[in-house]
């Protein structure tokens, strides 16, 4: 799902959030520089690939609250804030040229960017190409309306017999279908599943009481909980957890080590925890991963 949210994260109400989401434009994902930010006064770097004091991170602006774009194209999100903090520790500015998600690794291989800091799951096949600095945990989560919890406690048999919504083709949809089959196999009522194309529609159904539970990425669930002011509540723990990391070419060992050192400093300073809290991603804290 490629969708941009034109407002950042301090929305006045969940109703405004729904409007913002409904008006969101689809991201084309074409390459294009989207600006640089960070510390000033550094004009060069001895790190491989890094040029003119700018760390270039290929990005795809389609995964709020991790990384997305405001109406004017400005990249925002938890990953943007983490990346900016890392760059600051390295004494660099940072730029986020945009690519389609499938184009991120090819762009890195073509040395069109120094790194990828953009919701890239750490998978064995990718580790053959790149080294990673893990900075977030991802997974899928369940959320309900505060006014209509329907006794749902998370991704478990409490979903049996309830009305659940998920996004067509998303991991959450597959997980709900698996749970429904598990319910039936246990002699319980299967989950009544509605698949939608837009998360805004799913949220509206939950708040309106037309559905009991919504399952999607844990990050998205936590973000919407933050936006709703408590009207939308995450229940249970994330499932299917996997790490997200900053990718660099395996040949670029020096930059990998520099990113790791800088990220460790961001964690030690408390800035990492601040970013996660601001975006409602406390459950995605990599430092607390089991």
């Amino acid at each position: 799902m490629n969708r941009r949210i034109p407002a950042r994260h301090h929305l006045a109400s969940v109703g405004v959030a729904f409007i913002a989401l409904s008006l969101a434009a689809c991201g084309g994902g074409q390459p294009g520089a989207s600006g640089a930010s960070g510390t000033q006064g550094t004009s060069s770097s001895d790190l491989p690939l890094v040029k003119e004091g700018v760390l270039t991170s290929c990005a795809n602006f389609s995964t709020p609250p991790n990384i997305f774009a405001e109406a004017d194209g400005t990249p925002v999100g938890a990953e943007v804030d983490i990346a900016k903090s890392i760059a600051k520790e390295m004494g660099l500015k940072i730029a986020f040229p945009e690519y389609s998600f499938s184009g991120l690794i090819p762009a890195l291989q073509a040395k069109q960017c120094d790194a990828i800091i953009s919701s890239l799951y750490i998978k064995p096949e990718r580790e053959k190409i790149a080294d990673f600095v893990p900075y977030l945990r991802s997974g899928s989560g369940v959320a309900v309306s505060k006014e209509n919890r329907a006794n749902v406690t998370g991704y478990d048999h409490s979903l049996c017999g309830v009305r659940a919504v998920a996004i067509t083709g998303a991991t959450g949809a597959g997980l709900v279908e698996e749970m429904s089959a598990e319910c039936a196999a246990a002699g319980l009522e299967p989950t009544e599943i509605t698949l939608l194309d837009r998360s805004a529609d799913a949220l509206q159904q939950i708040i309106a009481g037309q559905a009991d539970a919504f399952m999607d990425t844990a990050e998205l669930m936590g973000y919407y909980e933050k936006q709703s002011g408590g009207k939308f509540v995450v229940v249970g723990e994330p499932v299917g957890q996997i790490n997200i990391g900053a990718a660099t070419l395996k040949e670029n060992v020096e930059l990998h080590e520099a990113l790791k050192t800088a990220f460790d400093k961001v964690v030690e300073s408390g800035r990492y925890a601040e970013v996660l809290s601001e975006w409602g991603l406390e459950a995605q804290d990599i430092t607390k991963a089991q």
Side-chain angles (χ1 to χ4, degrees):
M1 294 173 289
N2 284 340
R3 56 181 182 272
R4 294 182 182 174
I5 299 178
R8 191 173 179 180
H9 51 289
H10 296 298
L11 301 179
S13 67
V14 69
V16 175
F18 289 160
I19 293 171
L21 285 163
S22 298
L23 296 176
C26 292
Q30 295 301 316
S34 51
S37 61
T39 55
Q40 304 296 317
T42 303
S43 60
S44 64
S45 172
D46 294 329
L47 290 171
L49 292 182
V50 175
K51 299 175 181 177
E52 299 302 322
V54 178
L55 178 68
T56 303
S57 172
C58 288
N60 176 254
F61 305 147
S62 65
T63 53
N66 290 12
I67 182 167
F68 57 105
E70 292 187 319
D72 63 359
T74 301
V76 292
E79 289 181 294
V80 173
D81 290 343
I82 290 170
K84 286 180 177 179
S85 298
I86 289 173
K88 183 177 180 180
E89 289 290 347
M90 296 171 69
L92 300 172
K93 300 178 184 179
I94 190 164
F96 298 95
E98 185 181 6
Y99 293 81
S100 65
F101 190 80
S102 63
L104 292 176
I105 290 179
L108 180 68
Q109 291 176 300
K111 298 184 179 180
Q112 294 172 359
C113 53
D114 304 304
I116 300 170
I117 307 177
S118 185
S119 296
L120 195 65
Y121 287 169
I122 302 176
K123 297 181 177 181
E125 61 271 24
R126 290 173 179 164
E127 290 183 294
K128 294 178 181 178
I129 299 169
D131 289 324
F132 288 85
V133 177
Y135 59 82
L136 276 180
R137 288 287 277 168
S138 186
S140 297
V142 177
V144 299
S145 166
K146 182 179 180 180
E147 302 301 322
N148 176 36
R149 291 178 179 262
N151 296 317
V152 174
T153 57
Y155 186 67
D156 51 39
H157 282 184
S158 67
L159 288 173
C160 300
V162 305
R163 302 166 300 169
V165 288
I167 305 303
T168 304
T171 299
L175 288 171
V176 171
E177 290 170 352
E178 288 178 13
M179 181 55 68
S180 181
E182 185 177 315
C183 292
L188 302 172
E189 188 176 351
T191 308
E192 180 183 326
I193 304 170
T194 299
L195 298 181
L196 302 171
D197 292 327
R198 302 190 308 165
S199 60
D201 295 335
L203 278 165
Q204 288 172 327
Q205 287 201 11
I206 293 294
I207 299 299
Q210 297 171 339
D212 303 310
F214 177 26
M215 188 164 194
D216 208 294
T217 69
E219 298 97 304
L220 195 65
M221 298 295 95
Y223 178 69
Y224 287 162
E225 180 179 48
K226 194 89 167 179
Q227 292 290 336
S228 74
K231 294 179 181 180
F232 185 72
V233 182
V234 177
V235 291
E237 297 296 323
V239 296
Q241 290 194 329
I242 188 169
N243 288 345
I244 292 173
T248 53
L249 291 174
K250 296 192 76 67
E251 66 194 58
N252 205 347
V253 177
E254 187 176 349
L255 180 57
H256 168 73
E257 291 299 327
L259 287 172
K260 185 178 184 303
T261 298
F263 176 67
D264 288 343
K265 291 180 179 179
V266 172
V267 172
E268 292 168 6
S269 71
R271 176 57 183 155
Y272 178 69
E274 290 175 358
V275 170
L276 298 188
S277 177
E278 180 178 3
W279 291 98
L281 298 184
E282 292 91 340
Q284 278 62 59
D285 191 334
I286 194 71
T287 67
K288 298 179 180 178
Q290 297 298 320

